[in-house]
């Protein structure tokens, strides 16, 4: 089944899709609140709404092209090089994939928070533009099509991110394992996004998200464990030479000294059905010290992360974060990045939003119409 | 030439009518040799000579060898392969079976009478030392053999595989976690008479008795002579009715004596072809020559052409099946076996990851006290196989009983099994030599012997001391337990010996106690090797039934989940569940952000909540 449906790919596409939709929906709700109220000019509202839709769709199309090129290059050029020492590459790619999923996965649970965040971000962007009077924003074109460019860039950004993630996660998979999870991921993302936008039952959406995040992390933990397993197996293979595969599942097909358990069946590589079990839970018919310990450490790490983030949310302070960036700020070269982060920590977000609320549309293409809107 | 033996012994009688004693003082030392012209290597020499002296004696002679171990770093011993050692079990030579290994600096005296004829050999029988060159022919001449008048000259030819690495350096790679299949070390070359591609001058029209011995550690060899027919007259020291053969297969340790009548023309030289049994080799390096031609040289001026093979693989060569030979002495089938020993060869990994060979469920592991010495001191308990330890796989045989061994093979390779102290009757073998020999070499199904439904046993079964077990097949042999002693029954491939493919027959132990008394020399050898010469397999001299502390092989690999596996799995599950719970809590806590979704710049948002929106 892993040859037709890479579960990891599905979740990444789903997640990126959802994020893009949230941003677009935030934009749409901006518009609706500012312009879409009864008694306001519906033609302008509709025109801008159309811009948002067109911008998002164009962004998606562009990133689909980028993705196609990316994957084409990847399979056209590099893939053969990895088949020679499959287990080594599998181990490395799985580690990369695990890191990616781990970083983006928990954000899936912060749909509501992300919405808020994006509200701030978009507002910030608008404020900045109007303050700095940047060239494109001041230009007539930029003003006219702000509501086209923003979603275009957003969806493109998310899309390229998805392509990179999918690429990283799926390095070990054959090309046939892509199309299905990509398509279903997009469908699921759109559906969920639509539900959120429509303001469906918040609770049940959240439960759905929680469930899918749990599955995502089960996969990630399994992948991490499998990565360590593959690296260990690679080492064993190198020691043995080419004889290992000859042994099937029996004694001699694995390093007995590393083994915590071994069953002479249920080999995900050869036995039907067990590959699904492996894709979702990281099952191996040989449990090694490395794979089992890494599996447990991964979960402990996730628990620690969750605890850390919840602590940060509750107290408003990320333990050690300020310190971390302060230290980094002293490192030459990283000063700018660290400085930005520190600055961001001190900005009052809500004031920015309020500023947008009051000023954004005064300065835009629709200035004249906006007069009646201002408070 | 027939009676003109090489001057090896101190005493030689030209006419060989009277029994004589041949006394040899052998200093075993390291020497350097390069028999294949490819690489110098350290080999075990005798009196600084290598190749080792060929022993040639007459029936009835006594052989006394004072062996001094001058190697400095390696224990050793000598086994006189094929010698029945009647009444002299302690001269047989295998370490920890009939003697202690001879440590560097000590000496052991072998002293026995040769009451048999034919083609034999001697080799080291301690750990794995004979691949290092410690092997040579041992010929017992007989001027009363039925074919004595049929030949003019004698010739002894050995075949051998050859490694450029010391066996002790091969072992760590062979017995290794990284060699789970137990792939045997691949030889670096093959030697014919300790050399390669030589010419052997012959005289046209004469008949030669050619003694062929495979003194390899591992690889069997096919042998034939271009355009000449071989007439088999002896196998492993047993005379057989003359039988014509085109192709012979000699496994490790097997011997054939054949009569070959030379052509009358001297125009051409004829190749003697030696083809390695490549079915034994897991990989065939590109620089390993599997075929070799040596020449019967009629005319040194004529061309010496290599013989080209008509087959692409050695398994397509169908050799003469030795089970069809008829012993010249017409000894009938031993009837009514009172003991049947059914054992199966299994190759398996044990829990240190190394490959082992097992007979039934036992991989031979040397005891702490040589089994013969345990017999001597065990008193009445000597008839209880317990005292010899579980892992010597000892079976006690009663006086003069007929023993049937049904040996089955659940491995994909051939195993030439050798019985010390006896020759045995060849009753049945399946698959037979020929087109079907490799039918069961896939390792998926095995042929098994059905004692109630089998092909009729021969009336006069051939006898020999080393017989090839087919891949995935079986064979049935019988012998009479009329030679009190401790006799090893083992695969003669030395790498398989290293993996424990051996078992022990303790034959009429009470008679052994009467015949044998341990000598001071033997005690000294044990003490020099820091070994006990008294006690059971565990070295326990008080309670012979208490095997606590005996040498044990590694354990079996558990078939499925063990306690630690279950614990690990359960802990992993708990960890995953707790992890998902924490994710769920985190997810639920996101709902609080939905409360102020309604408007931009919601004035009611508290300062604290505002902070939460920070990037």
């Amino acid at each position: 089944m892993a040859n037709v449906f890479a579960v990891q790919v599905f979740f990444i596409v789903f997640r990126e899709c959802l994020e893009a939709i949230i941003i677009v929906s935030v934009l749409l709700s901006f518009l609706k609140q500012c312009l879409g109220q009864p008694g306001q000019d519906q033609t302008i509202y509709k025109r801008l709404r159309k811009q948002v839709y067109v911008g998002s769709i164009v962004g998606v199309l562009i990133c689909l092209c980028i993705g196609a090129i990316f994957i084409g290059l990847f399979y056209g050029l590099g893939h053969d090089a990895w088949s020679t020492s499959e287990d080594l590459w599998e181990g490395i790619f799985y580690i990369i994939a695990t890191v990616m999923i781990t970083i983006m996965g928990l954000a899936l649970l912060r749909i509501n928070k992300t919405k808020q965040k994006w509200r701030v971000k978009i507002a910030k962007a608008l404020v900045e533009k109007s303050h700095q009077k940047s060239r494109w924003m001041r230009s007539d074109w930029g003003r006219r099509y702000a509501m086209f460019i923003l979603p275009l860039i957003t969806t493109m950004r998310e899309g390229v991110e998805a392509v990179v993630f999918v690429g990283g996660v799926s390095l070990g998979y054959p090309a046939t394992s892509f199309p299905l999870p990509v398509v279903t991921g997009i469908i699921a993302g759109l559906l969920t996004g639509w539900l959120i936008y429509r303001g469906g039952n918040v609770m049940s959406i959240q439960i759905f998200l929680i469930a899918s995040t749990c599955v995502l992390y089960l996969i990630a933990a399994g992948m991490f464990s499998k990565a360590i397993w593959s690296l260990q197996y690679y080492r064993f293979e190198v020691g043995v030479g080419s004889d290992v595969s000859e042994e099937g599942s029996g004694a001699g097909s694995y390093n007995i000294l590393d083994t915590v358990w071994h069953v002479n069946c249920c080999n995900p590589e050869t036995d039907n059905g067990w590959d699904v079990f492996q894709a979702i839970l990281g099952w191996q018919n040989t449990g090694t010290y490395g794979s089992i310990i890494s599996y447990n450490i991964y979960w402990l790490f996730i628990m620690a992360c969750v605890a850390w983030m919840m602590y940060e949310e509750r107290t408003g302070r990320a333990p050690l974060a300020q310190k971390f960036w302060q230290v980094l700020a002293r490192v030459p070269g990283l000063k700018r990045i660290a400085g930005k982060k520190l600055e961001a920590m001190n900005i009052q977000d809500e004031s920015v939003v309020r500023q947008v609320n009051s000023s954004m549309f005064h300065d835009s293409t629709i200035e004249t119409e906006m007069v009646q809107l201002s408070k | 030439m027939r009676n003109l033996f090489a001057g090896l012994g101190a005493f030689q009688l030209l006419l060989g009518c009277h029994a004589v004693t041949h006394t040899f003082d052998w200093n075993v030392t390291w020497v350097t040799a390069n028999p294949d012209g490819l690489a110098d290597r350290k080999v075990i020499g005798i009196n600084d000579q290598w190749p080792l002296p060929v022993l040639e004696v007459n029936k009835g002679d006594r052989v006394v060898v004072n062996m001094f171990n001058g190697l400095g770093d390696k224990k050793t011993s000598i086994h006189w392969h094929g010698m029945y050692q009647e009444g002299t079990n302690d001269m047989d030579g295998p370490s920890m079976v009939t003697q202690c290994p001879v440590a560097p600096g000590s000496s052991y005296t072998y002293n026995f009478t040769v009451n048999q004829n034919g083609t034999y050999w001697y080799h080291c029988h301690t750990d794995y030392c004979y691949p290092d060159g410690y092997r040579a022919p041992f010929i017992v001449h007989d001027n009363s053999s039925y074919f004595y008048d049929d030949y003019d000259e004698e010739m002894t030819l050995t075949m051998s595989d050859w490694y450029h690495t010391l066996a002790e350096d091969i072992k760590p790679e062979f017995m290794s976690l990284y060699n789970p299949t137990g792939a045997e070390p691949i030889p670096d070359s093959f030697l014919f008479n300790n050399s390669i591609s030589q010419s052997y001058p012959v005289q046209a029209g004469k008949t030669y008795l050619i003694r062929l011995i495979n003194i390899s550690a591992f690889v069997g060899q096919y042998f034939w002579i271009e355009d000449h027919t071989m007439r088999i007259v002896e196998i492993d020291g047993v005379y057989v009715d003359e039988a014509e053969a085109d192709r012979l297969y000699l496994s490790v340790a097997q011997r054939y004596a054949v009569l070959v009548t030379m052509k009358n023309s001297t125009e051409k030289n004829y190749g003697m072809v030696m083809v390695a049994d490549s079915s034994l080799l897991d990989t065939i390096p590109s620089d390993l020559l599997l075929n070799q031609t040596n020449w019967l040289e009629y005319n040194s001026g004529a061309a010496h052409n290599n013989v080209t093979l008509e087959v692409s693989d050695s398994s397509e060569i169908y050799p003469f099946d030795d089970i069809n030979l008829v012993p010249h002495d017409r000894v009938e089938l031993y009837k009514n076996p009172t003991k049947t020993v059914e054992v199966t060869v299994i190759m398996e990994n044990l829990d240190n990851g190394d490959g082992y060979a097992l007979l039934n469920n036992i991989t031979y592991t040397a005891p702490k006290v040589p089994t013969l010495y345990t017999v001597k001191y065990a008193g009445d308990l000597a008839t209880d196989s317990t005292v010899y330890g579980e892992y010597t796989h000892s079976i006690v045989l009663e006086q003069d009983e007929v023993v049937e061994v049904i040996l089955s093979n659940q491995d994909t390779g051939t195993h030439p099994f050798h019985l010390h102290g006896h020759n045995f009757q060849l009753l049945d073998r399946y698959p037979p030599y020929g087109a079907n020999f490799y039918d069961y070499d896939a390792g998926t199904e095995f042929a098994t012997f059905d004692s109630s439904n089998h092909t009729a046993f021969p009336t006069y079964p051939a006898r020999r001391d080393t017989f090839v077990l087919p891949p995935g097949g079986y064979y049935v042999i019988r012998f009479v337990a009329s030679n009190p002693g401790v006799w090893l029954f083992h695969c003669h491939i030395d790498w398989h010996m290293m993996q424990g493919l051996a078992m022990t027959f303790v034959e009429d132990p009470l008679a052994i106690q009467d015949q044998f008394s341990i000598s001071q020399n033997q005690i000294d050898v044990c003490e020099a090797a820091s070994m006990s010469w008294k006690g059971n397999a565990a070295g326990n001299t008080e309670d012979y039934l208490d095997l606590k502390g005996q040498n044990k092989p590694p354990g079996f690999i558990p078939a499925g989940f063990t306690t630690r596996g279950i614990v690990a799995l359960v802990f992993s599950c708990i960890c995953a569940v707790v992890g998902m719970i924490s994710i769920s809590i985190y997810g639920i806590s996101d709902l609080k952000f939905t409360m102020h979704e309604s408007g931009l710049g919601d004035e009611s948002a508290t300062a604290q909540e505002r902070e939460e929106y920070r990037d």
Side-chain angles (χ1 to χ4, degrees):
Chain A
M1 180 180 143
N3 285 340
V4 197
F5 194 91
V7 190
Q8 298 91 320
V9 174
F10 168 79
F11 276 97
I12 286 165
V13 172
F14 168 65
R15 190 261 171 191
E16 296 297 338
C17 219
L18 195 57
E19 183 152 347
I21 282 166
I22 287 164
I23 296 159
V24 171
S25 73
V26 167
L27 275 173
L28 289 174
S29 63
F30 257 105
L31 289 177
K32 191 170 190 180
Q33 269 166 11
C34 297
L35 302 166
Q37 306 299 332
Q40 289 173 330
D41 190 337
Q42 293 300 306
T43 46
I44 293 169
Y45 170 59
K46 277 183 181 160
R47 203 180 77 205
L48 290 177
R49 209 173 59 176
K50 203 169 128 199
Q51 277 189 19
V52 170
Y53 282 131
V54 174
S56 336
I57 289 165
V58 171
V60 167
L61 286 179
I62 290 173
C63 84
L64 278 183
C65 294
I66 295 172
I69 293 166
F70 186 90
I71 288 169
L73 279 178
F74 167 69
Y75 279 100
L77 299 179
H79 203 250
D80 283 347
W82 301 318
S83 53
T84 45
S85 42
E86 201 185 315
D87 283 291
L88 174 64
W89 290 111
E90 209 159 287
I92 292 169
F93 294 153
Y94 272 40
I95 286 179
I96 295 172
T98 312
V99 170
M100 285 179 166
I101 293 183
T102 309
I103 291 168
M104 60 156 235
L106 282 173
L108 198 61
L109 289 175
R110 282 297 180 260
I111 288 298
N112 297 304
K113 192 182 171 189
T114 311
K115 258 161 112 178
Q116 302 277 24
K117 230 168 160 178
W118 272 102
R119 221 161 46 117
V120 174
K121 268 192 182 170
I122 291 169
K124 238 189 223 168
L126 291 171
V127 166
E128 230 166 72
K129 296 298 180 298
S130 51
H131 278 180
Q132 294 170 355
K133 300 280 179 205
S134 72
R135 209 155 9 120
W136 70 266
M137 203 57 188
R138 267 178 300 154
S139 72
D140 199 38
W141 189 89
R143 285 185 197 181
R144 282 181 77 87
Y145 296 106
M147 283 296 132
F148 168 77
I149 289 161
L150 253 177
L152 172 84
I153 288 170
T154 307
T155 48
M156 248 173 69
R157 213 197 77 149
E158 295 302 321
V160 170
E161 203 173 292
V163 167
V164 171
F165 277 156
V166 167
V169 167
S170 58
L171 288 170
Y173 288 102
T176 50
S177 61
F178 286 91
L180 210 56
V182 169
V183 171
T184 47
I186 290 172
I187 292 171
L190 288 175
L191 199 69
T192 319
W194 184 70
L195 285 176
I196 290 170
Y197 180 61
R198 283 293 301 271
N201 187 336
V202 180
M203 190 62 193
S204 56
I205 290 170
Q206 195 64 22
I207 284 171
F208 169 71
L209 288 175
I210 288 169
S212 51
T213 309
C214 284
V215 175
L216 190 61
Y217 276 91
L218 276 175
I219 291 173
M223 279 170 79
F224 188 56
S225 154
K226 161 88 172 147
I228 302 300
W229 188 93
S230 296
L231 293 178
Q232 285 185 311
Y233 196 67
Y234 171 72
R235 217 184 48 188
F236 180 59
E237 258 183 337
V238 167
V240 172
S242 55
D243 264 341
V244 177
S245 47
E246 186 187 303
E247 288 289 294
S249 315
S253 64
Y254 58 96
N255 182 343
I256 181 70
L257 300 186
D258 270 348
T259 301
V260 179
W261 76 68
H262 178 87
V263 283
N264 287 347
C265 72
C266 326
N267 186 335
E269 306 276 327
T270 54
D271 300 336
N272 268 337
W274 292 95
D275 53 344
V276 182
F277 198 23
Q278 177 180 51
I280 296 176
L281 296 173
W283 164 256
Q284 286 292 356
N285 60 330
T286 307
T288 66
Y289 285 103
S291 72
I292 290 166
I293 290 170
S294 58
Y295 189 82
N296 287 295
I297 282 183
Y298 182 83
W299 277 114
L300 293 174
F301 172 75
I302 293 301
M303 288 178 230
C305 282
V306 166
W308 184 79
M309 284 187 293
M310 288 182 69
Y311 178 81
E312 185 200 2
E313 274 177 6
R314 187 159 307 157
T315 62
R317 274 180 296 115
L320 304 174
Q322 190 110 8
K323 272 229 170 81
F324 174 74
W325 289 111
Q326 274 168 358
V327 170
L328 268 196
R330 287 194 207 121
V331 179
L334 292 174
K335 197 167 182 175
R336 268 187 55 173
I337 304 166
K340 256 187 176 171
K341 283 275 173 194
L342 283 168
E343 202 182 306
M345 280 181 179
N346 297 321
I347 285 184
Q348 296 293 317
D349 294 327
E350 203 57 21
S351 64
V352 181
V353 176
R354 238 177 285 127
Q355 206 180 340
V356 172
N357 214 19
S358 54
S359 70
M360 167 184 171
F361 295 104
H362 296 270
D363 194 31
S364 72
T365 44
I366 42 170
E367 202 165 336
T368 43
E369 287 91 344
M370 290 296 288
V371 175
Q372 51 196 338
L373 267 172
S374 60
K375 284 192 181 175
Chain B
M1 177 169 160
R2 180 187 300 162
N3 288 321
L4 201 71
F5 309 146
L8 299 164
F11 306 92
Q12 289 283 359
L13 265 191
L14 284 177
L15 292 171
C17 304
H18 302 96
V20 294
T21 300
H22 306 266
T23 304
F24 305 97
D25 291 312
W26 282 357
N27 180 13
V28 180
T29 53
W30 289 112
V31 295
T32 302
N34 185 359
D36 56 5
L38 297 173
D40 273 337
R41 61 153 290 168
K42 248 168 64 165
V43 296
I44 297 176
I46 288 175
N47 299 333
D48 295 324
Q49 294 285 315
W50 193 92
L52 306 185
V54 176
L55 279 190
E56 301 199 50
V57 302
N58 284 312
K59 184 175 174 180
D61 287 357
R62 173 169 288 272
V63 172
V64 179
V65 174
N66 299 307
M67 186 198 73
F68 173 76
N69 181 354
L71 291 171
D73 59 354
K74 204 179 173 87
K75 292 173 183 171
T76 188
S77 69
I78 309 175
H79 169 54
W80 315 93
H81 188 113
M83 290 291 130
Y84 305 136
Q85 301 289 7
E86 281 163 339
T88 49
N89 188 205
D90 53 332
M91 299 298 144
D92 193 41
S95 285
M96 301 322 288
V97 180
T98 63
Q99 66 168 86
C100 289
V102 183
S106 30
S107 293
Y108 193 94
T109 299
Y110 293 96
N111 181 345
F112 56 94
T113 306
V114 180
N115 277 320
Q116 56 198 105
N117 306 299
T119 312
Y120 305 94
W121 61 305
Y122 66 90
H123 61 83
C124 179
H125 211 304
T126 298
D127 298 331
Y128 29 87
C129 53
Y130 90 78
D132 289 333
Y134 198 168
R135 74 283 183 284
F138 183 171
I139 309 298
V140 186
H141 295 280
D142 181 9
N143 55 16
S144 56
S145 69
Y146 81 89
F147 50 84
Y148 184 74
D149 297 326
D150 298 341
Y151 62 95
D152 307 294
E153 302 280 347
E154 273 187 48
M155 196 187 278
T156 300
L157 300 172
T158 62
M159 303 167 212
S160 170
D161 44 26
W162 193 245
Y163 295 86
H164 292 158
T165 315
L166 282 171
E168 65 194 60
D169 295 329
I170 291 175
K171 187 191 179 189
E173 280 186 29
F174 173 57
M175 297 296 284
S176 158
L177 178 66
Y178 298 119
N179 183 20
T181 56
E184 295 83 1
I186 306 297
D188 294 299
S189 61
F190 298 103
L191 303 181
F192 190 79
N193 243 15
N194 290 318
S195 186
I196 52 166
S197 300
Q198 296 296 305
S199 296
Y200 295 84
V202 290
Q203 287 177 298
K206 284 198 171 175
T207 298
Y208 285 75
L209 177 70
I210 301 180
R211 301 177 188 274
L212 300 164
I213 314 176
N214 188 340
I215 55 174
S216 293
F218 172 32
V219 181
Q221 301 285 351
Y222 294 88
F223 178 85
W224 68 89
I225 305 171
E226 196 184 8
D227 297 335
H228 287 66
T229 303
M230 299 175 284
R231 287 172 284 148
I232 304 169
V233 290
E234 179 222 313
I235 50 169
D236 296 358
V238 177
Y239 294 153
V240 293
D241 286 357
E242 220 174 84
E244 286 195 0
D246 294 327
R247 305 273 188 274
L248 291 179
Y249 177 77
L250 286 87
S251 76
V252 168
Q254 284 188 331
R255 290 91 65 202
Y256 280 87
V258 294
L259 294 175
V260 181
T261 302
M262 300 302 146
K263 295 188 181 298
N264 287 317
S265 142
T266 57
E267 277 169 18
K268 195 180 164 213
N269 296 317
Y270 291 88
M272 292 188 281
V273 187
M274 178 175 83
V275 180
D277 177 4
S278 54
S279 73
L280 291 164
L281 307 176
D282 284 61
T283 54
I284 299 171
S286 54
D287 58 349
L288 178 64
L289 294 173
L290 295 171
N291 318 324
Q292 191 183 130
T293 305
N294 292 267
W295 293 275
L296 288 179
E297 192 177 63
Y298 285 79
N299 178 352
S300 58
H304 295 70
N305 296 319
N306 281 322
V307 176
T308 49
L309 300 190
E310 65 271 29
V311 295
S312 58
D313 190 278
S314 69
S315 61
E316 295 160 30
I317 303 169
Y318 302 147
F320 185 92
D321 195 338
D322 47 351
I323 204 167
N324 297 324
L325 293 167
V326 177
H328 192 70
D329 57 15
R330 290 291 187 281
V331 172
E332 286 184 20
L333 172 70
Y334 306 135
K335 298 218 169 57
N336 307 321
T338 47
K339 183 150 285 161
T340 302
V341 177
E342 282 191 75
V343 280
T344 302
V345 175
I346 299 163
M347 308 294 264
E348 202 168 81
N349 294 88
L350 296 184
D351 70 3
N352 61 355
D354 297 356
Y356 283 85
L358 300 92
L359 279 172
N360 290 348
N361 278 322
I362 303 173
T363 180
Y364 180 89
T365 308
K368 287 185 170 168
V369 173
T371 306
L372 175 63
Y373 300 171
T374 300
V375 174
K376 180 68 189 172
Y377 295 101
D380 289 342
L381 286 172
T383 54
D384 183 346
S385 65
T386 315
V387 300
Y388 309 116
E390 197 180 331
Y391 303 104
T392 60
H393 202 163
S394 292
I395 291 180
V396 175
L397 305 177
E398 283 164 36
Q399 187 184 4
D400 292 331
E401 71 177 334
V402 174
V403 182
E404 180 175 276
V405 178
I406 302 168
L407 182 63
S408 305
N409 192 356
Q410 291 194 3
D411 178 51
T412 57
T414 56
H415 295 283
F417 266 77
H418 166 55
L419 177 60
H420 287 222
H422 290 273
N423 52 42
F424 45 75
Q425 291 185 331
L426 319 178
L427 272 57
D428 193 9
R429 171 166 63 186
Y430 191 84
Y433 276 179
N436 297 320
F437 190 66
Y438 292 100
D439 280 2
Y440 294 89
D441 73 347
T444 46
E445 52 170 338
F446 309 105
T448 48
F449 177 70
D450 181 353
S451 58
S452 57
N453 180 20
H454 58 81
T455 51
F457 293 145
T459 319
Y460 308 109
R463 301 192 308 277
R464 67 187 314 169
D465 62 39
T466 309
F467 194 39
V468 176
L469 179 65
Y474 62 83
Y475 74 46
V476 183
I477 56 171
R478 280 183 194 170
F479 64 94
V480 181
S482 56
N483 185 13
V486 178
W487 308 114
L488 213 53
F489 180 56
H490 66 94
C491 176
H492 214 289
I493 292 175
D494 219 31
W495 311 122
H496 295 166
M497 270 295 271
M498 200 185 267
Q499 293 180 308
L501 198 48
M503 65 184 289
T504 314
F505 288 114
V506 179
E507 196 166 320
D508 198 357
L510 298 179
I512 298 173
Q513 289 177 348
D514 293 340
Q515 283 176 7
F516 164 67
S517 58
I518 190 165
S519 71
Q520 189 55 46
N521 172 231
Q522 287 160 349
I523 294 172
D524 291 345
V525 164
C526 287
E527 283 173 351
S530 320
M531 285 178 171
S532 351
W533 47 276
K534 241 180 175 175
N536 64 10
N540 191 329
T541 51
E542 301 300 316
D543 179 1
Y544 272 72
L545 293 173
D546 179 7
L547 272 298
K548 211 172 141 221
Q550 68 177 326
N551 291 336
K552 279 184 185 168
F556 289 103
I557 292 175
F561 283 95
T562 53
T563 316
R564 66 179 176 174
I566 293 166
V567 168
L569 200 59
V570 166
F571 192 79
S572 298
C573 291
I574 292 173
C575 225
V577 167
V578 173
M580 286 190 289
I581 290 172
S582 72
I583 287 172
S584 305
I585 293 171
Y586 182 66
I588 292 290
S589 75
D590 184 53
L591 286 173
K592 68 173 178 272
F593 295 105
T594 58
M595 292 175 185
H596 32 252
E597 198 190 15
S598 50
L600 293 164
D602 191 340
E603 298 294 338
S604 65
T606 65
Q608 191 200 335
E609 278 165 339
R610 262 180 249 134
E611 277 193 351
E612 286 166 8
Y613 304 149
R614 280 193 319 201
D615 193 358

